[in-house]
Amino acid sequence: MKSMIERESPERIMREMDWNLLRTFVVLAQSRSVTDAATRLRLTQPSVSTALKRLENKVGKKLIDRSPGRFELTDAGQVLYREAVDIQGSILRLSTLMRDMTDEVTGHVRLSLASHVICPLFNQVLAEFHAENPRATLTIDVFTSALAIESVTTRSASFAICLVHSRNSKLEYKRLFREYFGLFCGPPHPLFGRKNLTRADLAGHSAVSFGTDRLQDALKPVTLMRAQAELGDQIIATSSHLEEVRRMIIAGLGVGPLPLHVAARDVRDGQLWQLPPYDQTAPIDVHVVWNPRAVLNRAEKWLLDRLLQRIDETPMDQRTYR
């Protein structure tokens, strides 16, 4: 019988590890039960249970606590899950990297963006990317900032542009631009069109906002601005997408926060009205987030390098939008 030291030998694990077992484990870790995982994998429940047992034998650790009423990763399972997700991301990118071995820059770039990123510098870089690499392709997915960062962590996205609350030591961050949030209302609201308003005029009015408008989240400055305006405690409607927060404000559901440079056109068109405070608007930084451990294809590397270069070349005051 093999000793524990021999069973947990890194060389043996590297030599004998079966990727299909890791793939099954990733799905198990993201599921509510073995039955749920079997359905997602289109396998039988006994097959999935057997795969889990084989993997546990190979690593010499219990990975999932399946006691009655519980289906949770053990400490060892959490460590393996994080590493397995990284391995999965690398494998998914292999075919893309192999297709990319040509003189001309080709390849696909998948970006994860927070809702309604308005940044002329980013638009300029996208234009340069297409002009210089016409055969490269691009997909932009819009997520909450948390999901955008998760997509970079799992290497399913080339990089992200989003808000950042807490930093993951495995990722890299660079500020792309700073925007300032103010409070606005729409035409049906009783404060719309009124001049010389003070914060006291906002007291007690209902609010709409973003799901991350909390003291412990990325929009903390917006939360403080709302509190200082003495709006009612109840936020009656939320969305993770800026376009939908804008829609609810214009529809008169309540007072809500928007970036000043994004709302400027609607203010000119009579769709939004800015409310106090006018001189203490909330600064929010938007970052580029990427995974330095990810192996990028040439198109991804070109776009990320050019964007970081343009950031370094552009003074911060030219990347600040009020």
Side-chain angles (χ1 to χ4, degrees):
M1 184 175 179
K2 294 180 179 179
S3 68
M4 179 63 71
I5 292 177
E6 183 181 3
R7 189 164 66 246
E8 295 183 0
S9 157
E11 291 79 10
R12 189 195 64 79
I13 291 176
M14 178 183 67
R15 184 175 63 252
E16 298 181 4
M17 183 58 69
D18 181 349
W19 160 244
N20 287 320
L21 293 182
L22 288 179
R23 175 176 173 272
T24 299
F25 177 69
V26 168
V27 176
L28 272 166
Q30 296 171 342
S31 302
R32 299 183 303 274
S33 64
V34 172
T35 301
D36 181 29
T39 300
R40 295 171 63 181
L41 289 164
R42 298 183 181 179
L43 298 173
T44 64
Q45 182 176 337
S47 297
V48 175
S49 295
T50 300
L52 175 60
K53 184 64 176 176
R54 286 178 57 202
L55 184 58
E56 288 179 331
N57 287 339
K58 285 186 179 296
V59 301
K61 301 287 185 183
K62 184 175 182 180
L63 300 174
I64 296 180
D65 181 357
R66 291 193 286 165
S67 55
R70 290 172 62 86
F71 187 82
E72 297 179 358
L73 294 179
T74 63
D75 290 345
Q78 291 174 358
V79 170
L80 182 61
Y81 173 66
R82 289 195 296 268
E83 297 303 319
V85 166
D86 272 351
I87 295 170
Q88 178 176 263
S90 296
I91 291 175
L92 288 172
R93 301 176 69 80
L94 281 176
S95 61
T96 301
L97 292 172
M98 293 301 100
R99 290 197 307 267
D100 198 36
M101 302 306 294
T102 62
D103 292 336
E104 187 176 14
V105 173
T106 60
H108 188 69
V109 182
R110 181 175 289 275
L111 303 184
S112 293
L113 265 63
S115 172
H116 219 67
V117 169
I118 303 296
C119 176
L121 184 148
F122 177 56
N123 293 350
Q124 174 193 346
V125 171
L126 284 182
E128 295 171 1
F129 172 71
H130 177 65
E132 298 187 34
N133 310 290
R135 292 192 59 204
T137 56
L138 175 71
T139 296
I140 296 179
D141 296 311
V142 178
F143 295 124
T144 64
S145 291
L147 287 177
I149 291 174
E150 181 180 334
S151 72
V152 175
T153 304
T154 60
R155 307 187 199 182
S156 58
S158 311
F159 59 89
I161 296 177
C162 57
L163 308 185
V164 174
H165 174 56
S166 58
R167 300 198 176 204
N168 182 336
S169 60
K170 292 185 176 181
L171 303 180
E172 297 287 344
Y173 303 81
K174 197 173 192 69
R175 182 169 59 181
L176 174 58
F177 67 93
R178 170 170 288 178
E179 58 188 1
Y180 283 80
F181 277 68
L183 296 175
F184 297 86
C185 66
H189 197 276
L191 297 180
F192 187 88
R194 291 179 54 185
K195 300 180 179 180
N196 302 315
L197 293 170
T198 66
R199 290 182 180 180
D201 293 308
L202 275 66
H205 283 280
S206 59
V208 301
S209 195
F210 299 87
T212 50
D213 180 355
R214 300 184 294 259
L215 284 174
Q216 69 274 25
D217 220 320
L219 287 180
K220 177 180 177 179
V222 173
T223 306
L224 294 173
M225 180 178 64
R226 280 197 307 100
Q228 292 167 356
E230 298 184 8
L231 288 167
D233 292 336
Q234 183 182 13
I235 297 179
I236 63 169
T238 64
S239 176
S240 60
H241 288 270
L242 185 147
E243 294 87 346
E244 299 311 317
V245 173
R246 169 184 172 273
R247 183 198 307 276
M248 293 186 290
I249 296 171
I250 291 175
L253 274 64
V255 174
L258 291 171
L260 299 179
H261 72 296
V262 174
R265 178 178 295 180
D266 285 325
V267 171
R268 291 195 299 270
D269 293 344
Q271 294 294 302
L272 290 172
W273 185 260
Q274 187 176 356
L275 302 169
Y278 305 112
D279 56 345
Q280 294 182 358
T281 50
I284 298 293
D285 290 333
V286 178
H287 292 78
V288 181
V289 184
W290 70 97
N291 189 336
R293 299 172 63 187
V295 180
L296 302 181
N297 65 42
R298 292 168 66 198
E300 292 171 314
K301 188 175 188 309
W302 193 103
L303 183 55
L304 178 58
D305 287 350
R306 179 61 62 88
L307 180 57
L308 298 179
Q309 176 189 345
R310 288 286 180 265
I311 291 173
D312 289 338
E313 294 172 348
T314 307
M316 191 61 218
D317 62 349
Q318 296 179 29
R319 295 184 281 119
T320 300
Y321 309 124
R322 296 178 182 270

